[in-house]
Structure formats: structure tokens, C-alpha cells
């Protein structure tokens, strides 16, 4: 009985020692794991005024600036930034915490993608500079991903860290641009017409709901293509609203400052849009070698500053003539053949 008590006391003692060894270590570990990354105060969070991101070759890639209350991409003709993307990115940056200390030896920085070697690109980090209204700035390097986190290092410091968040690093300035050209719905459109060299190609117009249904059954009933040639018909019922979808959902690939000489010397086709509130604007399309351009006039004064690069498929979807909307004419050879076969029968 005494032996059993002795064994029991021994086991209890070992358990107490184990608790004393492991639990404090775990608590200390947790304290270290949750070390703040940048220590950005709430006041700073609300006063961010600039973000610059460099590529691995130390070239400035993103120069985002808060100008008169709007976030603009300074190195992309001051075009508006998608504020939601920027806000989410900054939230990830400011809320990230260190979960593990890594190497502090400079010769090992490249392994984590955190080197800053001006003569090489392999192993270099993506430098980020944050600027605040107070005049304070923070500079750091983002390195390789590791599981669900990312390696990071403050500029000028040797200590590297594994962060708990795989902070996204945009590949181009265009990643953060608001690339949707229009904020319009089909029911706001009254008329759309296309021309080339001042010669009308076609006109699409919205029609009132039919008297029988009191409202249009579908978009196919809402918009009609005018002046369809006799004995011709649309390729399919929804081809007209599909064109409007392509137009109103237009997204550009890149943006630059408008070059007036470009538009003066080359042929263009135009699409004129009249809205139901009597606003009007014109889209000018231009094909130059491998580049497809768009210029917008009349919708908003801000568009006077820019010209847009479109994907080839977007350009082709909008560059339509009347024949593109219609079913092909019967092949005369087939008609003659059918006639001959039928007569032989």
C-alpha cells in the first residue's frame, strides 16, 4: 500500500514538473508568435497617403497616391485605383504578425527572397514603401511565400521573419486599376450607333414594351437593330443585347495619357451612345499594328486625359458591321445544286 502511494506521489510530481516545463514555454511561444509586424497605429492606418512597390530589379512598379481624397496610380497617368483592392492589401500588411524569427545573416537573405542586391535579381525581395500624412514612412521587403505566410524584412534590418499572412504582391500597376470603363446598365441605354469615316454602319435602339405584355419579355425584346435588309434576319435572338453587354462591361488592359496625334493620323471607327437621361458620349476605336486603342469623349471630363489599350477579342467584339449581326446568305452553288437534284428526282 505504501509502495502504491509512493508511485502515485511520484507520478503526480512528474506531472507537476511537466506542467511547469511545457505550459510556460507554450505561453512564451504564443507571446513571441503574436509579435506585431509593423506596429502601425490606428491613426496611421487612417492616414495612409502613399504606397510604392518595386519589382525584383528595383524598378518602381506601383506608385499609388492619395490626391484630393482619391487614390490614383501616379505612374499610370493618374488613373483611379480600385480602392477595395488597395484597402484589402493594406489591411493584410498592417495586421500581419511575426510567427517565427528566421535568419539574420545577409548571405542567407536570397534563400528567403529577401536580398536587396542592385546587380542581381534572383533572390531579391519586393521593396514596399508606405507614406503617411504625418510625414512618417515605413520601408520593408516581402520575400517568398511559405505555406500560408510570407517571409519579410524591415529595410535596413538584418532580422528576417515569417509572417502569418501571405501578403499579396501585385505583378503590375494594372493589377490595382479600376479597369471597368463604364458604370452603366442596359436599361440606361436609348440608342447605340456605329460609323466608319462618317458613314453609318448600323443603329440599335431601345423599344417600348409591347402592348400585349405591357413589359418586355427579355433583353432581346427590348433592343432592336434598325434597317435590317429585306429577307434577312438576325443570327440569333440575343445577338443585339449581347453586343450591348460587350460594350457596357468593357474592361481595358492598360491606360496611358491621351496622344492626340495618334488619333489624327489613323482611321477609326466610332460608336455613339445616347442614354435615356439624354446624355451622349462617343467611343473612338483605333487599330495600330498590334495595339487596339479606345478613346472616350463626352461621358465625363476625366476621360479626356486618357486612352485605353483593349484586348484583341474585345476590339473585335465591338468592331461589327451590319452583316455581322445577320444570318449568312444562302450559298448560290448550294441553291443551284439543290435545284438540279430536286429536278432529277
Amino acid at each position: 500500500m505504501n509502495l502504491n502511494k509512493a508511485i502515485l506521489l511520484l507520478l503526480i510530481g512528474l506531472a507537476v514538473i511537466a506542467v511547469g516545463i511545457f505550459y510556460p514555454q507554450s505561453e512564451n511561444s504564443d507571446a513571441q508568435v503574436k509579435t506585431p509586424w509593423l506596429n502601425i497605429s490606428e491613426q496611421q492606418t487612417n492616414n495612409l497617403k502613399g504606397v510604392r512597390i518595386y519589382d525584383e530589379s528595383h524598378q518602381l512598379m506601383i506608385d499609388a497616391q492619395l490626391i484630393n481624397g482619391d487614390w490614383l496610380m501616379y505612374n499610370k497617368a493618374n488613373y483611379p485605383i480600385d480602392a477595395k483592392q488597395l484597402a484589402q492589401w493594406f489591411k493584410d500588411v498592417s495586421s500581419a504578425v511575426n510567427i517565427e524569427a528566421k535568419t539574420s545573416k545577409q548571405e542567407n537573405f536570397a534563400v528567403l527572397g529577401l536580398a536587396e542586391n542592385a546587380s542581381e535579381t534572383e533572390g531579391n525581395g519586393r521593396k514596399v514603401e508606405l507614406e503617411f500624412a504625418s510625414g512618417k514612412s515605413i520601408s520593408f521587403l516581402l520575400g517568398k511565400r511559405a505555406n500560408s505566410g510570407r517571409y519579410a524584412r524591415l529595410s535596413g534590418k538584418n532580422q528576417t521573419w515569417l509572417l502569418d499572412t501571405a501578403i499579396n504582391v501585385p505583378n503590375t500597376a494594372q493589377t490595382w486599376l479600376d479597369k471597368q470603363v463604364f458604370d452603366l446598365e442596359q436599361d440606361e441605354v436609348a440608342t447605340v450607333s456605329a460609323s466608319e469615316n462618317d458613314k453609318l454602319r448600323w443603329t440599335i435602339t431601345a423599344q417600348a414594351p409591347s402592348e400585349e405584355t405591357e413589359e418586355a419579355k427579355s433583353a432581346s425584346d427590348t433592343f432592336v437593330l434598325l434597317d435590317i435588309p429585306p429577307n434577312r434576319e438576325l443570327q440569333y435572338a440575343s445577338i443585339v443585347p449581347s453586343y450591348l453587354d460587350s460594350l457596357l462591361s468593357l474592361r481595358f488592359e492598360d491606360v496611358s495619357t491621351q496622344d492626340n496625334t495618334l488619333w489624327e493620323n489613323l482611321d477609326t471607327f466610332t460608336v455613339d451612345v445616347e442614354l435615356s437621361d439624354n446624355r451622349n458620349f462617343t467611343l473612338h476605336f483605333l487599330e495600330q499594328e498590334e495595339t487596339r486603342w479606345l478613346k472616350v469623349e463626352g461621358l465625363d471630363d476625366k476621360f479626356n486625359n486618357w486612352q485605353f489599350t483593349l484586348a484583341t477579342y474585345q476590339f473585335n467584339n465591338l468592331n461589327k458591321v451590319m452583316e455581322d449581326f445577320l444570318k449568312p446568305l444562302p450559298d448560290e452553288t448550294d441553291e443551284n445544286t439543290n435545284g438540279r437534284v430536286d429536278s432529277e428526282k
Side-chain angles (χ1 to χ4, degrees):
M1 193 72 177
N2 291 336
L3 179 61
N4 289 337
K5 286 184 178 180
I7 293 174
L8 180 60
L9 289 173
L10 178 61
L11 292 174
I12 292 173
L14 290 173
V16 170
I17 292 172
V19 169
I21 292 174
F22 290 108
Y23 274 87
Q25 281 189 348
S26 175
E27 291 174 2
N28 291 337
S29 177
D30 286 342
Q32 182 178 6
V33 162
K34 296 187 178 181
T35 303
W37 159 231
L38 294 177
N39 288 320
I40 296 177
S41 67
E42 183 177 352
Q43 182 179 6
Q44 288 175 323
T45 299
N46 297 327
N47 287 281
L48 181 70
K49 63 173 288 188
V51 177
R52 293 181 179 85
I53 302 178
Y54 299 78
D55 63 19
E56 292 89 342
S57 301
H58 312 287
Q59 299 299 310
L60 180 63
M61 184 184 64
I62 285 180
D63 189 356
Q65 297 186 20
L66 184 63
I67 301 176
N68 297 326
D70 295 318
W71 277 100
L72 307 177
M73 191 66 71
Y74 186 74
N75 58 327
K76 281 294 177 183
N78 273 347
Y79 197 80
I81 291 172
D82 185 336
K84 290 182 179 179
Q85 287 197 61
L86 174 59
Q88 182 59 55
W89 177 86
F90 183 61
K91 179 181 178 182
D92 291 343
V93 168
S94 56
S95 63
V97 297
N98 303 322
I99 58 176
E100 187 177 352
K102 293 296 183 179
T103 183
S104 59
K105 296 181 179 179
Q106 293 186 18
E107 59 268 28
N108 294 331
F109 288 170
V111 177
L112 304 182
L114 290 173
E116 196 172 2
N117 192 326
S119 61
E120 300 178 8
T121 58
E122 186 174 355
N124 279 345
R126 305 285 293 279
K127 188 175 182 178
V128 178
E129 297 172 346
L130 304 179
E131 184 181 359
F132 300 91
S134 63
K136 181 179 179 180
S137 61
I138 300 175
S139 177
F140 55 91
L141 295 159
L142 294 175
K144 296 178 180 178
R145 288 177 180 267
N147 297 323
S148 59
R150 188 182 285 276
Y151 298 114
R153 177 169 70 89
L154 288 170
S155 297
K157 304 293 184 181
N158 286 338
Q159 182 60 60
T160 62
W161 299 93
L162 174 60
L163 305 182
D164 68 334
T165 304
I167 299 169
N168 180 48
V169 184
N171 291 320
T172 66
Q174 292 91 310
T175 303
W176 277 2
L177 296 184
D178 182 0
K179 288 180 273 193
Q180 184 77 37
V181 179
F182 307 113
D183 184 18
L184 297 168
E185 300 294 335
Q186 282 197 11
D187 59 9
E188 298 179 75
V189 176
T191 303
V192 177
S193 58
S195 305
E196 184 174 13
N197 298 325
D198 297 326
K199 183 179 180 181
L200 184 66
R201 287 182 174 182
W202 48 260
T203 299
I204 293 171
T205 187
Q207 64 175 353
S210 64
E211 296 180 358
E212 295 180 359
T213 62
E214 295 185 355
E215 61 181 13
K217 295 180 180 179
S218 67
S220 303
D221 300 318
T222 305
F223 294 95
V224 294
L225 179 65
L226 300 182
D227 301 321
I228 296 177
N231 302 320
R232 301 296 301 276
E233 57 182 303
L234 297 174
Q235 284 192 39
Y236 49 91
S238 62
I239 192 169
V240 172
S242 292
Y243 182 91
L244 297 180
D245 279 339
S246 297
L247 181 68
L248 299 181
S249 62
L250 192 60
R251 294 174 63 85
F252 62 84
E253 291 194 329
D254 202 358
V255 61
S256 58
T257 303
Q258 196 172 121
D259 178 5
N260 293 328
T261 58
L262 175 68
W263 298 90
E264 291 172 357
N265 299 325
L266 295 172
D267 292 334
T268 66
F269 77 91
T270 61
V271 174
D272 292 291
V273 181
E274 180 182 348
L275 302 178
S276 54
D277 60 5
N278 295 322
R279 286 185 297 159
N280 299 274
F281 61 92
T282 300
L283 312 179
H284 299 268
F285 296 89
L286 171 66
E287 189 170 15
Q288 183 192 36
E289 298 178 351
E290 298 300 318
T291 307
R292 280 76 182 170
W293 297 99
L294 166 67
K295 180 176 72 170
V296 183
E297 285 187 337
L299 179 61
D300 191 317
D301 288 342
K302 70 178 184 179
F303 283 104
N304 295 335
N305 301 322
W306 301 305
Q307 59 191 24
F308 306 94
T309 304
L310 302 180
T312 299
Y313 79 90
Q314 292 176 309
F315 184 91
N316 292 339
N317 282 347
L318 298 174
N319 186 16
K320 290 190 181 297
V321 296
M322 174 67 79
E323 196 65 31
D324 293 325
F325 290 98
L326 308 177
K327 288 183 178 180
L329 289 167
D331 187 84
E332 293 183 3
T333 303
D334 291 343
E335 285 186 347
N336 293 336
T337 301
N338 289 337
R340 177 176 54 81
V341 172
D342 290 343
S343 64
E344 289 178 354
K345 289 181 180 179

